[in-house]
Amino acid sequence: AQRVTQPEKLLSVFKGAPVELKCNYSYSGSPELFWYVQYSRQRLQLLLRHISRESIKGFTADLNKGETSFHLKKPFAQEEDSAMYYCALRSYNQGGKLIFGQGTELSVKP
Amino acid sequence: DVKVTQSSRYLVKRTGEKVFLECVQDMDHENMFWYRQDPGLGLRLIYFSYDVKMKEKGDIPEGYSVSREKKERFSLILESASTNQTSMYLCASSFFPSLLPQGTEAFFGQGTRLTVV
């Protein structure tokens, strides 16, 4: 069965500190993985996807198939990074099913 | 810009009422999804659709049904609303998964906060 696990409900760091939001998944196949972000009072929106291997707003995420992980990292957190972050998994079969983890609230303190 | 529009931002309904939540997208997306968002539980998939009149159960379909009569519209129905269905409901749409380099991003509506009293 598909599953996405984000073990931390809340992550609190100081401005300038490194950040790592953890995401583990279970899926028998090659999934498509995403990180979505929801800023206060805004819609959920895509942050980045593993296929494009891009860095967005200083965030990167590497797919580790051996450890079935897709952790989100940023070397120097900014206050404007404070938001809810969701890891998501999509299968190429099963009708395009898209599932999310429980979410991690990132709080960056000044 | 892609637009996913949910018909209401806030709804208050009574226990036992039949409730309709509407979602419309304008990007000709094949896939549409309904989630509920609860603190500590994240986004849980209720139902999704990959084509007109096609629907698939998600992880928590009990107490809900859906309808997709036109490609752009996906409706969530609470057959008999209960207090434990008080939640934020999110609709999303995307193209069907493919191996294109850009992947397949899902776009979200603004959400409907439903309160059942």
Side-chain angles (χ1 to χ4, degrees):
Chain A
Q2 294 173 234
R3 183 174 296 172
V4 177
T5 303
Q6 295 177 247
E8 304 134 332
K9 285 189 177 181
L10 173 65
L11 189 61
S12 184
V13 301
F14 286 102
K15 177 183 174 180
V19 169
E20 182 179 46
L21 285 76
K22 290 183 167 42
C23 172
N24 289 92
Y25 68 90
S26 62
Y27 180 66
S28 55
S30 293
E32 193 173 358
L33 286 155
F34 305 86
W35 277 97
Y36 283 80
V37 61
Q38 190 171 32
Y39 300 103
S40 179
R41 300 184 183 183
Q42 292 188 26
R43 299 184 187 212
L44 202 64
Q45 60 186 287
L46 179 71
L47 180 62
L48 53 78
R49 65 200 107 196
H50 90 272
I51 284 180
S52 52
R53 294 177 171 269
E54 56 199 344
S55 173
I56 302 292
K57 299 184 179 182
F59 285 98
T60 58
D62 290 320
L63 177 60
N64 185 323
K65 290 187 178 180
E67 296 182 359
T68 59
S69 68
F70 188 56
H71 302 328
L72 183 68
K73 299 178 184 179
K74 184 169 183 177
F76 307 104
Q78 303 299 314
E79 290 180 67
E80 55 265 30
D81 295 329
S82 295
M84 279 295 295
Y85 291 81
Y86 292 95
C87 183
L89 178 153
R90 188 132 195 225
S91 56
Y92 290 106
N93 50 20
Q94 294 186 283
K97 187 177 184 180
L98 174 65
I99 62 168
F100 287 78
Q102 302 92 324
T104 298
E105 181 181 357
L106 175 63
S107 173
V108 182
K109 299 178 178 179
Chain B
D1 278 350
V2 174
K3 283 196 178 150
V4 180
T5 304
Q6 295 182 228
S7 53
S8 304
R9 286 298 304 271
Y10 300 95
L11 275 179
V12 180
K13 296 292 181 180
R14 295 195 179 278
T15 301
E17 276 193 77
K18 191 169 186 176
V19 181
F20 293 86
L21 303 183
E22 307 286 344
C23 176
V24 177
Q25 51 96 4
D26 65 358
M27 273 298 291
D28 202 34
H29 285 161
E30 296 94 0
N31 271 123
M32 295 189 75
F33 308 86
W34 275 107
Y35 299 89
R36 60 178 286 176
Q37 183 181 32
D38 300 288
L41 297 177
L43 272 72
R44 291 181 291 166
L45 181 62
I46 304 171
Y47 269 96
F48 67 103
S49 169
Y50 55 88
D51 201 352
V52 175
K53 297 190 187 294
M54 304 304 291
K55 60 185 180 183
E56 293 285 342
K57 291 181 180 180
D59 297 322
I60 53 164
E62 297 79 19
Y64 303 94
S65 62
V66 290
S67 172
R68 194 166 182 200
E69 296 297 317
K70 293 185 178 181
K71 192 173 186 179
E72 67 270 19
R73 186 180 297 270
F74 192 37
S75 302
L76 179 69
I77 303 153
L78 286 66
E79 298 291 342
S80 177
S82 64
T83 54
N84 63 12
Q85 292 178 310
T86 292
S87 185
M88 172 69 82
Y89 289 87
L90 298 181
C91 174
S93 73
S94 77
F95 288 116
F96 198 78
S98 70
L99 294 174
L100 294 173
Q102 65 268 32
T104 51
E105 172 184 358
F107 294 87
F108 281 81
Q110 76 277 28
T112 296
R113 182 163 295 282
L114 172 67
T115 302
V116 183
V117 297

